[in-house]
Amino acid sequence: GTATAESMAFFGQATYHIDDQFSLTGGIRYTKDDKTYVSNDSSPFAVPARADTNAAGSFEEVTWRAGVEYQIDDSKMVYITVSTGFKSGGFNRFNPPTGPGALEYSLGFGTETIINYEIGFKGDFLDGTLRTNIAAYTNDITDFQSYAFDDSVPTSITANAASAKTYGVEAEVTYIPVEPAEINFILTWLDAYYVDYAAFNNGAVDYDASGNNRELSPEWKFTLTGAYDFDLGSMGTLTPYFQSTYKSHYFVTAANIANGIDKQDSYTQTDIKLIWNSHDGHWRGEVFWQNIEDNFVKTGAFLATGGFWLTYGPEPSLIGGRLSYTF
């Protein structure tokens, strides 16, 4: 098969300052995507063979953004924004099957759209040594481009079969207790779920995933990092670096089978490094220990004929070193 895509857009954004503290921002964008797809089904694995495909379509959307900002002082501000976005439609690889009991879907699938509401605060404290960014948001996704599987070929397919909603809070704190040291803490709370998803299936078995959690969406995630730069004078700098992340349990498919094969239990992953940079900035070396806990977690999955296909990661516990030179 051969696919082509051409995209054209016109956009603009402006900010109006009501006074020294209040400002209004508005933006608008028109996008048009033209796509074609041509394929000849000569695969011996397609039983029965599908008709040749020659499809074309245009996907147009007007998206916008509106926001208000209030500058509390030189180092603190609050904001509210409302914005929209979209993902163009497209075409599946094969024409849909025909006959009794065949999975029902279309060769083409339509545009996915989203509207997002966000309120946030950004501020520096303690003479600029403590920076805090906090945001709370919610969004609604319509015509969600959802995943299914056609086991008569077999092949994965996309269909507009779901709507989804998200609530979230993100907080990021950076603290510099002394000039060579930096500590970062990131907290995320997420409630991402399908409002309507009755067409989730593996080509043979239907799952009503309405109300289920979206894939790869842990409710809680914490990340803590720390670094300290030791000045070695003409020998450069030496930096110990630490990072640890906690994720609560999540699912890797929309089926959400409790205690089942598509559930990943909560885990923590920690990495440490010792980084050296030469005084002239050309040389960089590091020794590291990644994934100290030796995690082997589920990072993705899809339903297919006969059950689940799972992907795992990250790399196992890894100890090593790197040396690089920048010209």
Side-chain angles (χ1 to χ4, degrees), residues 203-236:
V205 178
D206 288 327
Y207 292 84
D208 186 353
S210 302
N212 286 1
N213 293 336
R214 289 169 57 190
E215 301 89 328
L216 304 176
S217 300
E219 182 179 11
W220 293 100
K221 180 179 178 181
F222 307 94
T223 299
L224 177 66
T225 69
Y228 190 98
D229 294 332
F230 289 95
D231 188 354
L232 305 180
S234 61
M235 296 295 292

PDB file of all heavy atoms in Angstrom, residues 203-236:
ATOM      1  N   GLY A 203     -11.759  -8.940  17.383  1.00  0.00           N
ATOM      2  CA  GLY A 203     -12.210  -9.528  16.130  1.00  0.00           C
ATOM      3  C   GLY A 203     -13.108 -10.725  16.318  1.00  0.00           C
ATOM      4  O   GLY A 203     -13.703 -11.214  15.367  1.00  0.00           O
ATOM      5  N   ALA A 204     -13.212 -11.190  17.549  1.00  0.00           N
ATOM      6  CA  ALA A 204     -14.062 -12.343  17.817  1.00  0.00           C
ATOM      7  C   ALA A 204     -14.903 -12.152  19.074  1.00  0.00           C
ATOM      8  O   ALA A 204     -16.041 -12.584  19.132  1.00  0.00           O
ATOM      9  CB  ALA A 204     -13.204 -13.609  17.954  1.00  0.00           C
ATOM     10  N   VAL A 205     -14.336 -11.485  20.086  1.00  0.00           N
ATOM     11  CA  VAL A 205     -15.017 -11.294  21.354  1.00  0.00           C
ATOM     12  C   VAL A 205     -15.185  -9.802  21.602  1.00  0.00           C
ATOM     13  O   VAL A 205     -14.229  -9.040  21.508  1.00  0.00           O
ATOM     14  CB  VAL A 205     -14.214 -11.924  22.515  1.00  0.00           C
ATOM     15  CG1 VAL A 205     -14.917 -11.680  23.846  1.00  0.00           C
ATOM     16  CG2 VAL A 205     -14.012 -13.409  22.269  1.00  0.00           C
ATOM     17  N   ASP A 206     -16.410  -9.369  21.910  1.00  0.00           N
ATOM     18  CA  ASP A 206     -16.682  -7.964  22.181  1.00  0.00           C
ATOM     19  C   ASP A 206     -16.538  -7.676  23.672  1.00  0.00           C
ATOM     20  O   ASP A 206     -16.984  -8.446  24.516  1.00  0.00           O
ATOM     21  CB  ASP A 206     -18.096  -7.593  21.741  1.00  0.00           C
ATOM     22  CG  ASP A 206     -18.230  -7.533  20.229  1.00  0.00           C
ATOM     23  OD1 ASP A 206     -17.245  -7.159  19.574  1.00  0.00           O
ATOM     24  OD2 ASP A 206     -19.302  -7.872  19.714  1.00  0.00           O
ATOM     25  N   TYR A 207     -15.918  -6.532  23.992  1.00  0.00           N
ATOM     26  CA  TYR A 207     -15.822  -6.039  25.351  1.00  0.00           C
ATOM     27  C   TYR A 207     -16.490  -4.669  25.393  1.00  0.00           C
ATOM     28  O   TYR A 207     -16.201  -3.813  24.559  1.00  0.00           O
ATOM     29  CB  TYR A 207     -14.366  -5.879  25.796  1.00  0.00           C
ATOM     30  CG  TYR A 207     -13.594  -7.156  25.947  1.00  0.00           C
ATOM     31  CD1 TYR A 207     -12.994  -7.759  24.852  1.00  0.00           C
ATOM     32  CD2 TYR A 207     -13.456  -7.756  27.192  1.00  0.00           C
ATOM     33  CE1 TYR A 207     -12.256  -8.933  24.995  1.00  0.00           C
ATOM     34  CE2 TYR A 207     -12.730  -8.934  27.342  1.00  0.00           C
ATOM     35  CZ  TYR A 207     -12.136  -9.510  26.240  1.00  0.00           C
ATOM     36  OH  TYR A 207     -11.415 -10.662  26.386  1.00  0.00           O
ATOM     37  N   ASP A 208     -17.388  -4.462  26.358  1.00  0.00           N
ATOM     38  CA  ASP A 208     -17.933  -3.129  26.576  1.00  0.00           C
ATOM     39  C   ASP A 208     -17.022  -2.438  27.581  1.00  0.00           C
ATOM     40  O   ASP A 208     -17.066  -2.705  28.781  1.00  0.00           O
ATOM     41  CB  ASP A 208     -19.360  -3.205  27.105  1.00  0.00           C
ATOM     42  CG  ASP A 208     -20.007  -1.824  27.215  1.00  0.00           C
ATOM     43  OD1 ASP A 208     -19.292  -0.818  27.015  1.00  0.00           O
ATOM     44  OD2 ASP A 208     -21.216  -1.753  27.499  1.00  0.00           O
ATOM     45  N   ALA A 209     -16.155  -1.571  27.067  1.00  0.00           N
ATOM     46  CA  ALA A 209     -15.164  -0.903  27.913  1.00  0.00           C
ATOM     47  C   ALA A 209     -15.659   0.438  28.425  1.00  0.00           C
ATOM     48  O   ALA A 209     -14.873   1.210  28.980  1.00  0.00           O
ATOM     49  CB  ALA A 209     -13.867  -0.717  27.127  1.00  0.00           C
ATOM     50  N   SER A 210     -16.932   0.747  28.275  1.00  0.00           N
ATOM     51  CA  SER A 210     -17.475   2.013  28.777  1.00  0.00           C
ATOM     52  C   SER A 210     -17.247   2.112  30.285  1.00  0.00           C
ATOM     53  O   SER A 210     -17.547   1.192  31.040  1.00  0.00           O
ATOM     54  CB  SER A 210     -18.973   2.100  28.472  1.00  0.00           C
ATOM     55  OG  SER A 210     -19.215   1.992  27.088  1.00  0.00           O
ATOM     56  N   GLY A 211     -16.680   3.226  30.720  1.00  0.00           N
ATOM     57  CA  GLY A 211     -16.375   3.422  32.124  1.00  0.00           C
ATOM     58  C   GLY A 211     -15.020   2.895  32.545  1.00  0.00           C
ATOM     59  O   GLY A 211     -14.576   3.161  33.677  1.00  0.00           O
ATOM     60  N   ASN A 212     -14.320   2.169  31.676  1.00  0.00           N
ATOM     61  CA  ASN A 212     -13.011   1.614  32.021  1.00  0.00           C
ATOM     62  C   ASN A 212     -11.915   2.665  31.926  1.00  0.00           C
ATOM     63  O   ASN A 212     -12.038   3.656  31.208  1.00  0.00           O
ATOM     64  CB  ASN A 212     -12.658   0.449  31.094  1.00  0.00           C
ATOM     65  CG  ASN A 212     -13.453  -0.802  31.416  1.00  0.00           C
ATOM     66  OD1 ASN A 212     -14.283  -0.818  32.322  1.00  0.00           O
ATOM     67  ND2 ASN A 212     -13.207  -1.862  30.668  1.00  0.00           N
ATOM     68  N   ASN A 213     -10.815   2.407  32.631  1.00  0.00           N
ATOM     69  CA  ASN A 213      -9.655   3.287  32.560  1.00  0.00           C
ATOM     70  C   ASN A 213      -9.013   3.208  31.191  1.00  0.00           C
ATOM     71  O   ASN A 213      -8.983   2.147  30.562  1.00  0.00           O
ATOM     72  CB  ASN A 213      -8.619   2.898  33.616  1.00  0.00           C
ATOM     73  CG  ASN A 213      -9.113   3.155  35.022  1.00  0.00           C
ATOM     74  OD1 ASN A 213      -9.986   3.980  35.237  1.00  0.00           O
ATOM     75  ND2 ASN A 213      -8.539   2.442  35.979  1.00  0.00           N
ATOM     76  N   ARG A 214      -8.467   4.333  30.746  1.00  0.00           N
ATOM     77  CA  ARG A 214      -7.726   4.325  29.501  1.00  0.00           C
ATOM     78  C   ARG A 214      -6.365   3.674  29.713  1.00  0.00           C
ATOM     79  O   ARG A 214      -5.838   3.633  30.830  1.00  0.00           O
ATOM     80  CB  ARG A 214      -7.577   5.748  28.965  1.00  0.00           C
ATOM     81  CG  ARG A 214      -8.894   6.311  28.433  1.00  0.00           C
ATOM     82  CD  ARG A 214      -8.795   7.787  28.150  1.00  0.00           C
ATOM     83  NE  ARG A 214      -7.724   8.095  27.219  1.00  0.00           N
ATOM     84  CZ  ARG A 214      -7.315   9.335  26.966  1.00  0.00           C
ATOM     85  NH1 ARG A 214      -7.868  10.355  27.590  1.00  0.00           N
ATOM     86  NH2 ARG A 214      -6.344   9.532  26.101  1.00  0.00           N
ATOM     87  N   GLU A 215      -5.795   3.191  28.618  1.00  0.00           N
ATOM     88  CA  GLU A 215      -4.537   2.484  28.692  1.00  0.00           C
ATOM     89  C   GLU A 215      -3.406   3.381  29.198  1.00  0.00           C
ATOM     90  O   GLU A 215      -3.375   4.581  28.921  1.00  0.00           O
ATOM     91  CB  GLU A 215      -4.145   1.933  27.311  1.00  0.00           C
ATOM     92  CG  GLU A 215      -5.148   0.977  26.707  1.00  0.00           C
ATOM     93  CD  GLU A 215      -6.219   1.650  25.869  1.00  0.00           C
ATOM     94  OE1 GLU A 215      -6.599   2.807  26.183  1.00  0.00           O
ATOM     95  OE2 GLU A 215      -6.687   1.033  24.909  1.00  0.00           O
ATOM     96  N   LEU A 216      -2.460   2.763  29.920  1.00  0.00           N
ATOM     97  CA  LEU A 216      -1.235   3.429  30.361  1.00  0.00           C
ATOM     98  C   LEU A 216      -1.526   4.715  31.127  1.00  0.00           C
ATOM     99  O   LEU A 216      -0.864   5.737  30.942  1.00  0.00           O
ATOM    100  CB  LEU A 216      -0.323   3.723  29.165  1.00  0.00           C
ATOM    101  CG  LEU A 216       0.059   2.524  28.301  1.00  0.00           C
ATOM    102  CD1 LEU A 216       0.876   2.965  27.096  1.00  0.00           C
ATOM    103  CD2 LEU A 216       0.839   1.496  29.109  1.00  0.00           C
ATOM    104  N   SER A 217      -2.528   4.664  32.004  1.00  0.00           N
ATOM    105  CA  SER A 217      -2.954   5.853  32.748  1.00  0.00           C
ATOM    106  C   SER A 217      -2.977   5.564  34.247  1.00  0.00           C
ATOM    107  O   SER A 217      -4.045   5.381  34.846  1.00  0.00           O
ATOM    108  CB  SER A 217      -4.339   6.305  32.277  1.00  0.00           C
ATOM    109  OG  SER A 217      -4.341   6.629  30.914  1.00  0.00           O
ATOM    110  N   PRO A 218      -1.814   5.502  34.901  1.00  0.00           N
ATOM    111  CA  PRO A 218      -1.810   5.286  36.350  1.00  0.00           C
ATOM    112  C   PRO A 218      -2.442   6.462  37.074  1.00  0.00           C
ATOM    113  O   PRO A 218      -2.312   7.614  36.651  1.00  0.00           O
ATOM    114  CB  PRO A 218      -0.320   5.163  36.684  1.00  0.00           C
ATOM    115  CG  PRO A 218       0.381   5.896  35.586  1.00  0.00           C
ATOM    116  CD  PRO A 218      -0.456   5.679  34.358  1.00  0.00           C
ATOM    117  N   GLU A 219      -3.132   6.166  38.168  1.00  0.00           N
ATOM    118  CA  GLU A 219      -3.785   7.238  38.922  1.00  0.00           C
ATOM    119  C   GLU A 219      -2.753   8.158  39.564  1.00  0.00           C
ATOM    120  O   GLU A 219      -2.938   9.377  39.606  1.00  0.00           O
ATOM    121  CB  GLU A 219      -4.700   6.638  39.989  1.00  0.00           C
ATOM    122  CG  GLU A 219      -5.441   7.691  40.787  1.00  0.00           C
ATOM    123  CD  GLU A 219      -6.372   7.112  41.842  1.00  0.00           C
ATOM    124  OE1 GLU A 219      -6.283   5.878  42.090  1.00  0.00           O
ATOM    125  OE2 GLU A 219      -7.173   7.871  42.420  1.00  0.00           O
ATOM    126  N   TRP A 220      -1.659   7.593  40.057  1.00  0.00           N
ATOM    127  CA  TRP A 220      -0.635   8.382  40.732  1.00  0.00           C
ATOM    128  C   TRP A 220       0.730   8.140  40.098  1.00  0.00           C
ATOM    129  O   TRP A 220       1.058   7.015  39.724  1.00  0.00           O
ATOM    130  CB  TRP A 220      -0.545   8.017  42.217  1.00  0.00           C
ATOM    131  CG  TRP A 220      -1.744   8.400  43.008  1.00  0.00           C
ATOM    132  CD1 TRP A 220      -2.770   7.584  43.402  1.00  0.00           C
ATOM    133  CD2 TRP A 220      -2.056   9.704  43.508  1.00  0.00           C
ATOM    134  NE1 TRP A 220      -3.697   8.294  44.110  1.00  0.00           N
ATOM    135  CE2 TRP A 220      -3.290   9.601  44.194  1.00  0.00           C
ATOM    136  CE3 TRP A 220      -1.415  10.942  43.436  1.00  0.00           C
ATOM    137  CZ2 TRP A 220      -3.887  10.692  44.810  1.00  0.00           C
ATOM    138  CZ3 TRP A 220      -2.016  12.040  44.053  1.00  0.00           C
ATOM    139  CH2 TRP A 220      -3.229  11.899  44.733  1.00  0.00           C
ATOM    140  N   LYS A 221       1.502   9.200  40.008  1.00  0.00           N
ATOM    141  CA  LYS A 221       2.881   9.101  39.560  1.00  0.00           C
ATOM    142  C   LYS A 221       3.700  10.148  40.303  1.00  0.00           C
ATOM    143  O   LYS A 221       3.340  11.325  40.336  1.00  0.00           O
ATOM    144  CB  LYS A 221       2.995   9.316  38.052  1.00  0.00           C
ATOM    145  CG  LYS A 221       4.425   9.217  37.521  1.00  0.00           C
ATOM    146  CD  LYS A 221       4.475   9.423  36.016  1.00  0.00           C
ATOM    147  CE  LYS A 221       5.906   9.382  35.498  1.00  0.00           C
ATOM    148  NZ  LYS A 221       5.987   9.604  34.027  1.00  0.00           N
ATOM    149  N   PHE A 222       4.802   9.705  40.923  1.00  0.00           N
ATOM    150  CA  PHE A 222       5.717  10.599  41.622  1.00  0.00           C
ATOM    151  C   PHE A 222       7.111  10.436  41.035  1.00  0.00           C
ATOM    152  O   PHE A 222       7.552   9.312  40.784  1.00  0.00           O
ATOM    153  CB  PHE A 222       5.799  10.257  43.123  1.00  0.00           C
ATOM    154  CG  PHE A 222       4.483  10.181  43.829  1.00  0.00           C
ATOM    155  CD1 PHE A 222       3.825   8.971  43.969  1.00  0.00           C
ATOM    156  CD2 PHE A 222       3.908  11.310  44.378  1.00  0.00           C
ATOM    157  CE1 PHE A 222       2.626   8.879  44.642  1.00  0.00           C
ATOM    158  CE2 PHE A 222       2.696  11.231  45.049  1.00  0.00           C
ATOM    159  CZ  PHE A 222       2.055  10.018  45.183  1.00  0.00           C
ATOM    160  N   THR A 223       7.800  11.538  40.843  1.00  0.00           N
ATOM    161  CA  THR A 223       9.189  11.490  40.391  1.00  0.00           C
ATOM    162  C   THR A 223      10.023  12.429  41.255  1.00  0.00           C
ATOM    163  O   THR A 223       9.665  13.598  41.446  1.00  0.00           O
ATOM    164  CB  THR A 223       9.323  11.895  38.920  1.00  0.00           C
ATOM    165  OG1 THR A 223       8.577  10.989  38.100  1.00  0.00           O
ATOM    166  CG2 THR A 223      10.777  11.857  38.476  1.00  0.00           C
ATOM    167  N   LEU A 224      11.127  11.918  41.777  1.00  0.00           N
ATOM    168  CA  LEU A 224      12.048  12.713  42.581  1.00  0.00           C
ATOM    169  C   LEU A 224      13.428  12.624  41.950  1.00  0.00           C
ATOM    170  O   LEU A 224      13.921  11.523  41.663  1.00  0.00           O
ATOM    171  CB  LEU A 224      12.096  12.185  44.015  1.00  0.00           C
ATOM    172  CG  LEU A 224      13.090  12.881  44.957  1.00  0.00           C
ATOM    173  CD1 LEU A 224      12.678  14.327  45.201  1.00  0.00           C
ATOM    174  CD2 LEU A 224      13.188  12.120  46.286  1.00  0.00           C
ATOM    175  N   THR A 225      14.040  13.777  41.688  1.00  0.00           N
ATOM    176  CA  THR A 225      15.396  13.806  41.148  1.00  0.00           C
ATOM    177  C   THR A 225      16.255  14.729  42.000  1.00  0.00           C
ATOM    178  O   THR A 225      15.753  15.677  42.623  1.00  0.00           O
ATOM    179  CB  THR A 225      15.433  14.287  39.690  1.00  0.00           C
ATOM    180  OG1 THR A 225      15.102  15.689  39.638  1.00  0.00           O
ATOM    181  CG2 THR A 225      14.453  13.509  38.825  1.00  0.00           C
ATOM    182  N   GLY A 226      17.553  14.432  42.019  1.00  0.00           N
ATOM    183  CA  GLY A 226      18.479  15.277  42.751  1.00  0.00           C
ATOM    184  C   GLY A 226      19.849  15.257  42.094  1.00  0.00           C
ATOM    185  O   GLY A 226      20.278  14.240  41.546  1.00  0.00           O
ATOM    186  N   ALA A 227      20.540  16.391  42.129  1.00  0.00           N
ATOM    187  CA  ALA A 227      21.876  16.491  41.544  1.00  0.00           C
ATOM    188  C   ALA A 227      22.690  17.520  42.317  1.00  0.00           C
ATOM    189  O   ALA A 227      22.134  18.474  42.879  1.00  0.00           O
ATOM    190  CB  ALA A 227      21.790  16.886  40.068  1.00  0.00           C
ATOM    191  N   TYR A 228      24.002  17.303  42.333  1.00  0.00           N
ATOM    192  CA  TYR A 228      24.914  18.240  42.995  1.00  0.00           C
ATOM    193  C   TYR A 228      26.177  18.331  42.156  1.00  0.00           C
ATOM    194  O   TYR A 228      26.809  17.315  41.848  1.00  0.00           O
ATOM    195  CB  TYR A 228      25.259  17.773  44.412  1.00  0.00           C
ATOM    196  CG  TYR A 228      25.992  18.804  45.235  1.00  0.00           C
ATOM    197  CD1 TYR A 228      25.303  19.605  46.139  1.00  0.00           C
ATOM    198  CD2 TYR A 228      27.366  18.988  45.100  1.00  0.00           C
ATOM    199  CE1 TYR A 228      25.969  20.559  46.899  1.00  0.00           C
ATOM    200  CE2 TYR A 228      28.041  19.937  45.837  1.00  0.00           C
ATOM    201  CZ  TYR A 228      27.339  20.723  46.736  1.00  0.00           C
ATOM    202  OH  TYR A 228      28.001  21.675  47.481  1.00  0.00           O
ATOM    203  N   ASP A 229      26.566  19.548  41.777  1.00  0.00           N
ATOM    204  CA  ASP A 229      27.749  19.768  40.950  1.00  0.00           C
ATOM    205  C   ASP A 229      28.957  20.082  41.839  1.00  0.00           C
ATOM    206  O   ASP A 229      28.998  21.123  42.517  1.00  0.00           O
ATOM    207  CB  ASP A 229      27.517  20.937  39.980  1.00  0.00           C
ATOM    208  CG  ASP A 229      26.449  20.650  38.957  1.00  0.00           C
ATOM    209  OD1 ASP A 229      26.264  19.471  38.620  1.00  0.00           O
ATOM    210  OD2 ASP A 229      25.776  21.602  38.497  1.00  0.00           O
ATOM    211  N   PHE A 230      29.938  19.176  41.824  1.00  0.00           N
ATOM    212  CA  PHE A 230      31.193  19.424  42.520  1.00  0.00           C
ATOM    213  C   PHE A 230      32.166  20.079  41.550  1.00  0.00           C
ATOM    214  O   PHE A 230      32.444  19.537  40.474  1.00  0.00           O
ATOM    215  CB  PHE A 230      31.785  18.116  43.048  1.00  0.00           C
ATOM    216  CG  PHE A 230      31.021  17.525  44.190  1.00  0.00           C
ATOM    217  CD1 PHE A 230      30.056  16.547  43.962  1.00  0.00           C
ATOM    218  CD2 PHE A 230      31.257  17.932  45.490  1.00  0.00           C
ATOM    219  CE1 PHE A 230      29.354  15.990  45.006  1.00  0.00           C
ATOM    220  CE2 PHE A 230      30.560  17.386  46.550  1.00  0.00           C
ATOM    221  CZ  PHE A 230      29.601  16.408  46.310  1.00  0.00           C
ATOM    222  N   ASP A 231      32.679  21.250  41.932  1.00  0.00           N
ATOM    223  CA  ASP A 231      33.624  21.983  41.094  1.00  0.00           C
ATOM    224  C   ASP A 231      35.024  21.401  41.293  1.00  0.00           C
ATOM    225  O   ASP A 231      35.583  21.437  42.389  1.00  0.00           O
ATOM    226  CB  ASP A 231      33.597  23.457  41.469  1.00  0.00           C
ATOM    227  CG  ASP A 231      34.408  24.315  40.507  1.00  0.00           C
ATOM    228  OD1 ASP A 231      35.087  23.756  39.617  1.00  0.00           O
ATOM    229  OD2 ASP A 231      34.366  25.551  40.652  1.00  0.00           O
ATOM    230  N   LEU A 232      35.605  20.881  40.210  1.00  0.00           N
ATOM    231  CA  LEU A 232      36.941  20.292  40.262  1.00  0.00           C
ATOM    232  C   LEU A 232      37.999  21.226  39.693  1.00  0.00           C
ATOM    233  O   LEU A 232      39.102  20.793  39.366  1.00  0.00           O
ATOM    234  CB  LEU A 232      36.961  18.964  39.487  1.00  0.00           C
ATOM    235  CG  LEU A 232      35.933  17.906  39.917  1.00  0.00           C
ATOM    236  CD1 LEU A 232      36.084  16.656  39.052  1.00  0.00           C
ATOM    237  CD2 LEU A 232      36.081  17.572  41.387  1.00  0.00           C
ATOM    238  N   GLY A 233      37.636  22.493  39.533  1.00  0.00           N
ATOM    239  CA  GLY A 233      38.583  23.464  38.999  1.00  0.00           C
ATOM    240  C   GLY A 233      38.916  23.160  37.547  1.00  0.00           C
ATOM    241  O   GLY A 233      38.028  23.005  36.710  1.00  0.00           O
ATOM    242  N   SER A 234      40.208  23.052  37.240  1.00  0.00           N
ATOM    243  CA  SER A 234      40.628  22.793  35.856  1.00  0.00           C
ATOM    244  C   SER A 234      40.247  21.397  35.377  1.00  0.00           C
ATOM    245  O   SER A 234      40.316  21.109  34.185  1.00  0.00           O
ATOM    246  CB  SER A 234      42.146  22.973  35.739  1.00  0.00           C
ATOM    247  OG  SER A 234      42.826  22.052  36.581  1.00  0.00           O
ATOM    248  N   MET A 235      39.817  20.535  36.293  1.00  0.00           N
ATOM    249  CA  MET A 235      39.402  19.181  35.928  1.00  0.00           C
ATOM    250  C   MET A 235      37.927  19.101  35.564  1.00  0.00           C
ATOM    251  O   MET A 235      37.436  18.038  35.197  1.00  0.00           O
ATOM    252  CB  MET A 235      39.698  18.216  37.079  1.00  0.00           C
ATOM    253  CG  MET A 235      41.176  18.062  37.392  1.00  0.00           C
ATOM    254  SD  MET A 235      42.068  17.302  36.019  1.00  0.00           S
ATOM    255  CE  MET A 235      41.373  15.654  36.064  1.00  0.00           C
ATOM    256  N   GLY A 236      37.186  20.232  35.677  1.00  0.00           N
ATOM    257  CA  GLY A 236      35.785  20.243  35.286  1.00  0.00           C
ATOM    258  C   GLY A 236      34.844  20.108  36.458  1.00  0.00           C
ATOM    259  O   GLY A 236      35.124  20.617  37.561  1.00  0.00           O
TER     260      GLY A 236
END
